[in-house]
Amino acid sequence: MTSDRDRRGGACDELVRSLLVSGDLDAAWAESFRAVPRSLFLPDLFWTHDMATGRNAAVDREDVDAWERAACSNIPLVTQWDDGRHSGTAPGAVPTSSSSMPSVVAAMLRDLDVREGTRVLEVGTGTGWNAALLAHRLGASNVVSVEVDGAVVESARTALKAAGLDAEVVHADGRDGWAPGAPYDRVVVTAGVREFSPHWLRQARPGGVVLAPWGTHYSDQDALVRLTVAEDGHARGPFLRMVEFMKLRAQRLDWNRFREYVPSFPGDADVSAGSLALADLGDRYRAARFVAGLGVPDCAHVVNPTGDGTGRVWFFDLASRSWAAAEFREPGAPALVYQSGPRRLWAEVERVLTWWAEVGRPGVDRFGLTVAPDGATHAWLDDPATGPLAFG
């Protein structure tokens, strides 16, 4: 007879094998992934997240087969909604804690490039699974994890203790790092970042690595950046690939702030013809969208599609009431553009994406980031010595 534990172990072993084949999981991490399955760190109730549709479906441990199948699948699982204020099985309004796709977890650990004796600071404990994997590989005494949510902290501590991997979990704001445990050889951030904390750089050893999903408020997209901290306190490194993480709580964008920007449409906005089609703006996980965010600072945008290649795209300035809207009424055709306020947001987007096309539409992995000791950032293309990008 096959026990529940054997069945779960088989499913999780198959997940490990698939991650090794895909290259997301480095062989050096395989033993830890087998010994520390994600299922040990999941609550009785979680929600599977469908990446294609955005739908979330509740899974309760009472349905043993479905729960274990989801736990050992390469899918993201939402473990908290609305900062813990949510109850019931229906999804909440905003997912605020999760267990990331195992392929994402494995690839980030691979990119962290640890070895025996490496000391790691993790910003964002979540379920505690990532901290447990680190503790299994490096020893619990070499891992410190910081989490801002008290309930999440207690759940992670309980799970880590039960697994015999009692890494230090600190209840604090991860933006401050954790100075009592510094210096660290590696800092890994497991939430989307819009502003780099100077504390992370100061608490890393010279030559240490900071690995974080970074992006702009232009979209929810992040790109994983691997920074090496220099003796002078600056950190530089390349973007590796597109990802999408829940944002640090203090750096979330409040979309409600834009409701008052456009009391009536189009109002007194200036009207002109655009030169880009909707496809030129880029889609989810596409370089065009990320590059536009690099070149059009302090701007948020949202796409309201109405059909194949048609829809309205909004742009909002974070520092003033300037806004723009581009209406794409025919597939493949340029937009009718409305712009209001002192900042010409659509003109900036056109300029940046025209520059990007002229330089050959480079992928995200050809860009990189430099972070100053005070947290100020600038992006570069191919070589950090070229300095900040001019975008045309």
Side-chain angles (χ1 to χ4, degrees):
M1 174 180 278
T2 302
S3 69
D4 289 345
R5 176 174 295 194
D6 289 340
R7 184 171 59 250
R8 181 174 65 242
C12 291
D13 283 347
E14 179 56 37
L15 174 63
V16 172
R17 284 192 290 270
S18 69
L19 295 176
L20 285 167
V21 170
S22 69
D24 293 311
L25 179 62
D26 186 277
W29 281 101
E31 181 183 350
S32 295
F33 269 71
R34 291 190 181 100
V36 189
R38 176 164 69 160
S39 56
L40 298 179
F41 296 85
L42 294 174
D44 291 342
L45 175 67
F46 56 69
W47 291 259
T48 59
H49 178 74
D50 189 307
M51 298 287 288
T53 66
R55 295 191 181 97
N56 300 281
V59 182
D60 194 292
R61 196 187 290 264
E62 291 184 358
D63 187 342
V64 176
D65 289 341
W67 192 95
E68 292 182 349
R69 187 167 54 250
C72 294
S73 297
N74 189 30
I75 55 176
L77 305 174
V78 178
T79 55
Q80 185 196 70
W81 296 90
D82 305 325
D83 295 332
R85 296 185 298 274
H86 166 270
S87 62
T89 59
V94 180
T96 51
S97 194
S98 69
S99 180
S100 298
M101 292 176 66
S103 59
V104 172
V105 173
M108 286 185 68
L109 290 173
R110 177 198 66 207
D111 297 330
L112 204 57
D113 188 27
V114 299
R115 58 210 64 199
E116 185 178 355
T118 298
R119 185 160 176 77
V120 179
L121 170 67
E122 178 189 42
V123 177
T125 308
T127 64
W129 183 41
N130 197 65
L133 292 166
L134 286 163
H136 184 272
R137 174 87 187 273
L138 303 173
S141 63
N142 283 321
V143 180
V144 178
S145 186
V146 183
E147 170 63 48
V148 72
D149 188 302
V152 173
V153 166
E154 290 308 312
S155 179
R157 284 175 177 165
T158 299
L160 282 160
K161 186 174 182 179
L165 296 164
D166 205 5
E168 183 178 7
V169 179
V170 178
H171 181 200
D173 189 335
R175 290 178 301 170
D176 298 330
W178 186 244
Y184 304 97
D185 303 292
R186 301 288 187 269
V187 177
V188 57
V189 185
T190 61
V193 175
R194 294 296 174 263
E195 297 177 11
F196 260 96
S197 169
H199 298 288
W200 302 339
L201 274 59
R202 285 199 293 267
Q203 292 172 20
R205 298 180 190 274
V209 168
V210 179
L211 186 70
W214 181 90
T216 68
H217 284 304
Y218 187 82
S219 76
D220 284 337
Q221 296 293 282
D222 312 301
L224 191 65
V225 65
R226 190 178 193 275
L227 305 171
T228 300
V229 181
E231 291 281 355
D232 64 2
H234 286 73
R236 303 171 183 85
F239 290 111
L240 305 180
R241 58 190 171 276
M242 297 296 298
V243 291
E244 186 174 332
F245 278 73
M246 296 175 187
K247 307 304 175 269
L248 284 175
R249 294 194 181 184
Q251 295 181 8
R252 295 175 187 161
L253 181 62
D254 178 12
W255 285 94
N256 289 325
R257 65 185 291 182
F258 303 124
R259 293 183 182 277
E260 299 178 359
Y261 276 45
V262 192
S264 63
F265 180 80
D268 60 356
D270 298 326
V271 184
S272 61
S275 63
L276 302 176
L278 182 57
D280 295 326
L281 299 183
D283 206 342
R284 192 178 186 190
Y285 299 119
R286 299 298 181 186
R289 185 174 291 187
F290 186 74
V291 173
L294 293 179
V296 187
D298 299 319
C299 174
H301 100 297
V302 63
V303 181
N304 299 138
T306 56
D308 185 17
T310 64
R312 181 182 291 174
V313 184
W314 293 93
F315 304 87
F316 302 102
D317 181 24
L318 301 182
S320 73
R321 291 294 184 90
S322 297
W323 61 268
E327 288 193 329
F328 299 90
R329 300 176 178 179
E330 297 180 21
L336 185 64
V337 177
Y338 304 87
Q339 296 187 97
S340 177
R343 190 175 177 190
R344 307 279 92 172
L345 292 170
W346 174 258
E348 293 185 36
V349 171
E350 281 191 322
R351 174 177 55 81
V352 171
L353 291 181
T354 298
W355 167 86
W356 179 65
E358 289 174 346
V359 297
R361 295 183 170 85
V364 169
D365 58 354
R366 284 184 55 193
F367 290 87
L369 196 70
T370 293
V371 185
D374 64 357
T377 59
H378 74 254
W380 37 266
L381 178 63
D382 293 329
D383 184 356
T386 61
L389 288 171
F391 297 103

